[in-house]
Amino acid sequence: MAPVTEATDHSPAPVQGGRTAALAGACVRGALAAGLGLGSVTVLVMVMWISSPYPDSGPGGALHVAAGVWLLVHGAELVRPATLGGAPAPVGVVPLALVALPVWLVYRTARDAAEPALDRPGPSARGAVGAVTAGYLLVGAAALAYGTGGPLPAEPLGAALHLPPLVALAAAAGVWTAHGRPTGPLPGRVPERIRVGLARSRTALAVRAAAIGLGVLLGGGAVLVAVSLAWHAGAARESLLGLSGVWSGRMALLLLAVALAPNAAVWGAAYGLGPGFLLGTGVAVTPLGVTGTAVAPPFPLLAAVPAGGPGTWVNWTVAVVPVAAGAAVGWTCGGGRRGAGARDGGLRDAAFAALLTAVLVGAAVAVLAAAAGGPLGTGRLAAFGPVWWRTGGAAAAWAAGLGVPVAVGLRAWRRRDDAAPATSAPVPSAPATSAPVPSAPATSAPVPSAPATSAPVPSASPAPPGPAPATPEQSPDLDPASEAPTAGPVPAPASTNANAPQPKPGSGAAPAPLPVPSPDASRASGGAGREERPAPEDDPGDPAFEPYAVLPAAWEDPVAREARWTALKEASGGLMATFPPAPVAGPAAPADEMPEAPGADDPGPPQRRS
């Protein structure tokens, strides 16, 4: 039974397939995505052909046109062989609204192909991108070959330069999304300077600011086009009615205008930036005026182009679009919110982020300007649309010229606001020491009290010679946290000198020792007085409690004891013995645990006052 069980356990692998089957499935998915896009464009073209009152070819010609339009959507340039002059004329203006369809299809396909299935492992990231791209390009090659003999064939070189990069980028975005959009370090083959630069927080800030600035530019361009169309509504209506006299043709023109609406937004942004756009060779449309004689074909969107001649103050007001974009860039780089734990890099980082944002905005605008324009024929229509390098340079200049000062100013203002509360708030007085000073030392053993004498000890006595007794703060070999305080009565020391006078009961010479209640006992007692809470330094449960260790060994030094004895004998007026008492014999105890109990004639350590 063992061999049968082992074969049963491993049978799903060859049946379900491994990574090879996953790669094959991803390739098939890419081909299906291309087929869906091609089918959508084909349906649109066939509807236009059916509704056209004057079709110039049969269904075969419409299918060839559909294949050419599908390749045009990917950026390939079409060639119109049948012209009035006899020479082929290129058609390179790509409707940017139609580009969203293939990009979205490839993105969704790559994202689904990169997700691992329940019964088999998914392909690797590189494998998914390569397989989806390969399957898509197979269909693209077939469409290119099929459309060669049609009325609008695609140029092979243009298709080879535009189709693979677009598909690969869309597939990479889909695989990146399938893996959770990771933002970790780049592979080791990437140069270290690039990996470090892209990993910095100001790079992410620059990318976000570039997206905001680009959105403001394109939105402003769309607003300019809409306002100009509303201003020239009569000319746009005449153009629509003059191009076609039937509803099907007018609907086709409206659909084409909607597909070219993103192109018009890019053109409007280029006009607001200053370089403007071209309406043929030698015809430039800028806010300063229109140079040359425009020979644009009649089209509703082109009715929004300003009239010829120098520009007026109305044309110059379009500068509000780049000003708003530069201000948005500066606001994001200098005054935007920082992420959790992000460090305020200062003015230099704000300026650097704004400069990097300007470069990104210029590059994006240049790419969009190149995609939004193109030739519409030969001769004077060979250059149609914005010039990409002029438009990109102007966008970078506006973003840097306005973004850097705004970012630096806002960052400086924000840093001043952050520092204002710290300087205006009252500064509390600092305590003299880092730990509270207790009223009396607490030790692990009972502290002996000073013996009573018949003669009072004067307060102003000469300082005894010898080393001064060390305090717990001055002793380097003490650990204050190693000892714990004790609560309870403090007993009087036992007398070791028989000749010393003993206090009599009721004489008042030496008061009886009073018991020191513990904090718990004081809280539990319900006396006549109000309940008193112990000080933090006396309460072991308080976070500010800091116990004190025993007195240092300097108190038991023979030299110090002899000096104290001499001082007390001089102050007693001859009532004390002339020699110090001998120490009490007994088991030795470590100095850091319990000090030796002094005799009756030994005054012991001086009492610390609270």
Side-chain angles (χ1 to χ4, degrees), residues 229-570:
L229 278 177
W231 190 274
H232 302 87
R237 180 175 178 275
E238 292 178 2
S239 174
L240 178 63
L241 298 178
L243 286 175
S244 178
V246 294
W247 66 269
S248 59
R250 295 169 184 173
M251 288 298 300
L253 288 175
L254 288 178
L255 290 177
L256 183 58
V258 171
L260 290 172
N263 301 60
V266 177
W267 289 23
Y271 183 80
L273 288 170
F277 49 88
L278 300 178
L279 285 180
T281 304
V283 181
V285 180
T286 65
L288 299 179
V290 179
T291 60
T293 303
V295 289
F299 191 72
L301 285 180
L302 295 179
V305 176
T312 61
W313 66 270
V314 178
N315 304 98
W316 301 337
T317 56
V318 297
V320 70
V321 174
V323 169
V329 168
W331 181 268
T332 306
C333 293
R337 295 192 311 170
R338 290 168 288 175
R343 180 180 62 88
D344 190 354
L347 305 182
R348 182 177 180 182
D349 278 5
F352 187 85
L355 288 175
L356 183 57
T357 302
V359 174
L360 295 178
V361 169
V365 170
V367 172
L368 290 177
L376 280 180
T378 58
R380 303 192 62 177
L381 292 180
F384 203 78
V387 181
W388 65 270
W389 60 271
R390 293 179 184 174
T391 308
W398 278 101
L402 290 176
V404 172
V406 172
V408 172
L410 286 178
R411 182 64 59 89
W413 184 271
R414 188 177 64 180
R415 294 182 69 182
R416 192 193 70 169
D417 291 345
D418 294 342
T423 57
S424 61
V427 180
S429 58
T433 58
S434 59
V437 179
S439 59
T443 61
S444 60
V447 180
S449 62
T453 58
S454 57
V457 180
S459 59
S461 59
T471 61
E473 292 82 359
Q474 297 172 351
S475 177
D477 57 346
L478 292 181
D479 186 7
S482 63
E483 297 294 335
T486 59
V490 181
S495 177
T496 58
N497 189 357
N499 298 328
Q502 300 293 335
K504 295 180 180 181
S507 60
L514 298 177
V516 180
S518 62
D520 297 334
S522 63
R523 284 193 297 266
S525 63
R530 61 182 179 87
E531 180 181 354
E532 295 183 1
R533 182 178 181 86
E537 59 270 12
D538 298 333
D539 188 4
D542 196 275
F545 172 72
E546 183 176 358
Y548 284 79
V550 298
L551 295 176
W555 288 96
E556 304 303 328
D557 185 55
V559 179
R561 293 182 60 187
E562 184 177 357
R564 292 195 303 272
W565 178 263
T566 303
L568 290 175
K569 187 182 70 172
E570 292 177 358

Side-chain angles (χ1 to χ4, degrees), residues 102-197:
V103 169
W104 182 77
L105 288 174
V106 175
Y107 170 81
R108 287 292 303 270
T109 301
R111 189 190 66 180
D112 297 341
E115 294 179 352
L118 298 177
D119 52 354
R120 66 171 183 271
S124 61
R126 298 179 185 176
V129 174
V132 172
T133 304
Y136 199 96
L137 292 180
L138 288 176
V139 179
L144 179 63
Y146 178 77
T148 302
L152 287 175
E155 187 181 358
L157 181 59
L161 292 178
H162 293 85
L163 192 62
L166 181 65
V167 176
L169 289 176
V175 172
W176 179 60
T177 304
H179 286 79
R181 297 183 179 91
T183 56
L186 296 177
R189 61 179 178 272
V190 180
E192 183 179 1
R193 176 174 295 182
I194 297 178
R195 287 189 282 112
V196 172

